[in-house]
Amino acid sequence: MTQKEINIRYSEYASLSELEPADRALAEAAIDAMKGSYAPYSHFNVGAAIRLKGGIVVQGANQENAAFPSGLCAERTAMFSAGAAHPDKAMESIAIAGGVMGRLAQEPATPCGACRQVMAQYQTKSGVPMSIIMVGAKRIWKFERVDDILPLIFDSI
Ligand code: THU
């Protein structure tokens, strides 16, 4: 038996102004996208913004529904919108921001497992690493590729 270890590397920024300009703009677009959140049940507003190859930005926000499983997270709303409108453009980066009652939370917004799986597949589809920027008021995290937040990705079929 051999014990193995998986290490995850990421960058932490103290504020939006520390990010490189394109990432900062995307983080701000994610915060702005929170306005489109429809969350009458959880009151947790999430916004996402995706930068496509070439620079187009696609936003999304969580959409809830009385039939709970029918709702959708901000990240998948944004990814499916980008995938449908721009099928040939790689999603280079996704920024995520969330908070209660429209106010950005102190800690970074971390995507759910289902959204990570969808990110993984779009990354595989394009062959371009998708970076993930998780925005909080107190700190911001950046991961360079989906593999860093979803080790041992399932993409076998
Ligand atoms: N939510 C997102 O939009 N993204 C995530 O990664 C986690 C959760 C939404 C779903 C639901 O509308 C609300 O946040 C509370 O779970």
Side-chain angles (χ1 to χ4, degrees):
M1 190 269 272
T2 320
Q3 285 222 316
K4 311 246 183 186
E5 216 174 287
I6 295 174
N7 290 305
I8 297 175
R9 198 179 270 264
Y10 62 101
S11 310
E12 182 170 289
Y13 302 84
S15 67
L16 289 170
S17 57
E18 265 189 17
L19 292 166
E20 58 182 79
D23 286 351
R24 179 183 177 161
L26 199 66
E28 287 172 341
I31 295 168
D32 174 63
M34 288 169 67
K35 292 181 197 142
S37 164
Y38 175 53
Y41 305 103
S42 72
H43 304 291
F44 190 69
N45 306 113
V46 186
I50 296 169
R51 187 177 62 245
L52 302 174
K53 193 169 169 56
I56 292 173
V57 170
V58 177
Q59 291 170 298
N62 58 326
Q63 304 296 313
E64 297 185 351
N65 190 277
F68 281 8
S70 305
L72 198 63
C73 292
E75 298 91 320
R76 272 177 288 165
T77 304
M79 282 187 282
F80 292 153
S81 174
H86 309 280
D88 300 324
K89 291 209 161 76
M91 300 181 202
E92 288 182 339
S93 189
I94 181 168
I96 308 149
V100 179
M101 301 292 201
R103 255 196 86 201
L104 182 65
Q106 293 296 307
E107 295 299 331
T110 54
C112 79
C115 288
R116 293 177 197 213
Q117 182 66 35
V118 172
M119 288 173 197
Q121 187 143 349
Y122 282 119
Q123 179 178 266
T124 301
K125 182 187 177 213
S126 71
V128 175
M130 188 193 302
S131 63
I132 302 102
I133 299 166
M134 304 181 190
V135 184
K138 213 157 77 179
R139 57 185 133 251
I140 298 150
W141 293 331
K142 179 176 181 183
F143 297 78
E144 294 299 332
R145 48 183 53 75
V146 181
D147 313 60
D148 295 330
I149 60 166
L150 189 64
L152 312 177
I153 286 174
F154 168 74
D155 64 354
S156 325
I157 58 165

